[in-house]
DNA sequence: TAAGTATGTTAAG
DNA sequence: TTAACCTACTTAC
């Protein structure tokens, strides 16, 4: 489930298990064999996240840059580590813990300068305390692109994925097709603050929950949800089901090759 | 066994 | 705009 909250959680998980520890690194699958050999036996000093990018710092040996993409997964376990299967791109292990990486879009050893270049091309991340929405607002408020597309653009905001996009627009009642330049300043401020709060909860619980307590199924007299893709949500992957608030059928559409979900009544189309 | 799907990104046309 | 890439799971035949 790789949106930004997942990656920040993974950075935390690595710090807890490996920070300050000498780790063994290997690439059972083989595609990161050279990189793994270069950090094998070194101390993992840092684990950081920016948006959906994870950086594991090995001092002078550089950083392992990981991007999970759509299917990548990181799984943790305690000793004894089972034999790694042939899809494990990277295994990190100490006497106590191991972490197996499968299916990432990116797993490469990079330098400080290459890492900096990645930070430079990413927008502000609601989960980084030093970031704020100002830089994002400058781009959004000048853009004719739809706010739904802008939210997924990692140069505009880093870490937002398809679930948070759909949910945050619903929670503010914003039409996903509204052009960025037509978005009100206070709506953007509210969306940014909401993203920060929701994603922080996402890190804490390692899942995405967006439904306010008063709208939870129990409170609304509905049966609890049975979906398996995460937490409790309003619109994401609920196409053709009734809106939790107004019972209008949730709509879905293709936008830039991603599935978009929204309630046409709670998020009415902007005039013009 | 094959096809389809997924919370993503990049490069080619 | 399309295809390509990476894995695992579910559904169809």
């Amino acid at each position: 489930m790789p949106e930004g909250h997942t990656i920040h959680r993974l950075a935390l998980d690595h710090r807890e298990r490996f920070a300050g520890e000498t780790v063994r690194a290997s690439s059972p699958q083989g595609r990161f064999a050279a990189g793994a050999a270069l950090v094998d036996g070194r101390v993992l000093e840092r684990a950081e996240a920016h948006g959906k990018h994870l950086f594991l710092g090995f001092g002078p040996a550089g950083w392992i840059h990981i991007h999970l993409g759509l299917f990548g997964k990181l799984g943790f376990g305690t000793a004894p580590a089972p034999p790694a299967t042939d899809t494990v791109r990277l295994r990190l292990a100490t006497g106590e813990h191991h972490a197996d990486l499968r299916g990432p879009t990116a797993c490469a050893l990079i330098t400080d300068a290459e890492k900096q270049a990645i930070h430079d091309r990413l927008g502000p991340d609601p989960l980084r305390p030093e970031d704020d929405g100002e830089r994002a607002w400058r781009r959004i408020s000048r853009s004719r692109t739809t706010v739904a597309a802008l939210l997924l653009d990692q140069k505009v905001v880093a870490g937002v994925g398809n679930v948070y996009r759909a949910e945050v627009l619903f929670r503010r009642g914003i039409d996903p097709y509204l052009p960025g330049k037509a978005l009100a300043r206070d709506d953007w401020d509210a969306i940014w603050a909401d993203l920060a709060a929701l994603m922080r909860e996402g890190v804490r619980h390692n899942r995405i929950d967006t439904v306010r307590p008063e709208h939870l199924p129990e409170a609304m007299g509905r049966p609890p949800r049975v979906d398996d893709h995460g937490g409790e949500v309003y619109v994401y992957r609920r196409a053709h089901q009734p809106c939790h608030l107004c019972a209008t059928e949730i709509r879905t559409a293709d936008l830039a090759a991603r599935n978009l979900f929204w309630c046409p009544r709670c998020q009415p189309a902007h005039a013009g």
Side-chain angles (χ1 to χ4, degrees), chain A residues 202-213:
Chain A
V203 174
R204 188 193 305 272
H205 300 300
N206 214 3
R207 48 180 261 170
I208 299 178
D209 294 289
T210 63
V211 177
R212 296 182 173 89

Side-chain angles (χ1 to χ4, degrees), chain A residues 6-272:
Chain A
T6 302
I7 313 307
H8 282 263
R9 174 60 181 251
L10 288 171
L12 204 63
D13 291 341
H14 276 83
R15 283 198 291 275
E16 281 176 9
R17 290 165 176 78
F18 301 120
E21 301 285 332
T22 299
V23 300
R24 302 306 310 266
S26 59
S27 180
Q29 176 221 42
R31 287 185 50 184
F32 188 57
L38 287 169
V39 300
D40 186 33
R42 292 183 180 271
V43 173
L44 192 157
E45 296 179 359
R46 311 276 296 274
E48 302 175 6
H50 185 168
K52 299 166 189 169
H53 297 255
L54 177 64
F55 303 97
L56 304 177
F58 291 88
W63 299 82
I64 296 181
H65 170 223
I66 292 169
H67 194 296
L68 293 179
L70 193 49
F71 332 110
K73 279 192 170 51
L74 258 163
F76 296 94
T78 49
T85 54
D86 58 6
T87 55
V88 176
R89 181 82 59 90
L90 170 66
R91 166 171 283 183
L92 294 180
T94 63
E96 298 271 315
H97 298 283
H98 60 94
D100 285 348
L101 170 67
R102 296 161 208 268
T105 283
C107 175
L109 195 58
I110 62 171
T111 63
D112 286 346
E114 287 167 328
K115 175 172 181 280
Q116 188 56 50
I118 293 168
H119 290 300
D120 291 345
R121 69 164 205 256
L122 288 172
D125 178 343
L127 286 176
R128 287 168 71 94
E130 66 271 33
D131 288 6
D132 64 58
E134 202 55 41
R135 199 148 56 90
W137 170 249
R138 263 178 254 137
R139 292 185 71 132
I140 290 167
S141 59
R142 284 199 220 115
S143 176
R144 281 169 296 182
T145 305
T146 62
V147 65
L150 288 165
L151 279 173
L152 281 192
D153 184 342
Q154 303 296 298
K155 298 189 291 299
V156 177
V157 196
V160 176
N162 210 11
V163 183
Y164 283 122
R165 158 175 85 171
E167 295 300 307
V168 86
L169 288 174
F170 177 90
R171 283 166 58 99
R172 188 65 188 178
I174 303 292
D175 167 25
Y177 291 97
L178 186 72
K181 55 165 47 173
L183 185 69
R185 177 64 203 250
D186 63 332
D187 282 333
W188 171 247
D189 289 343
I191 287 172
W192 174 268
D194 203 25
L195 281 171
L198 287 176
M199 293 174 76
R200 241 182 275 290
E201 278 299 287
V203 174
R204 188 193 305 272
H205 300 300
N206 214 3
R207 48 180 261 170
I208 299 178
D209 294 289
T210 63
V211 177
R212 296 182 173 89
E214 66 269 31
H215 299 150
L216 285 171
E218 310 85 79
M220 302 286 280
R222 283 183 277 102
R225 69 202 301 284
V226 291
D227 294 4
D228 59 359
H229 56 263
E232 193 79 37
V233 295
Y234 286 104
V235 293
Y236 175 71
R237 274 219 239 175
R238 294 196 63 249
H240 312 305
Q241 296 175 56
C243 172
H244 287 332
L245 299 196
C246 74
T248 301
E249 225 180 73
I250 299 301
R251 292 186 61 184
T252 186
D254 236 48
L255 186 74
R258 305 302 301 279
N259 299 318
L260 177 65
F261 303 90
W262 78 102
C263 170
R265 181 157 168 201
C266 294
Q267 301 166 262
H270 190 253

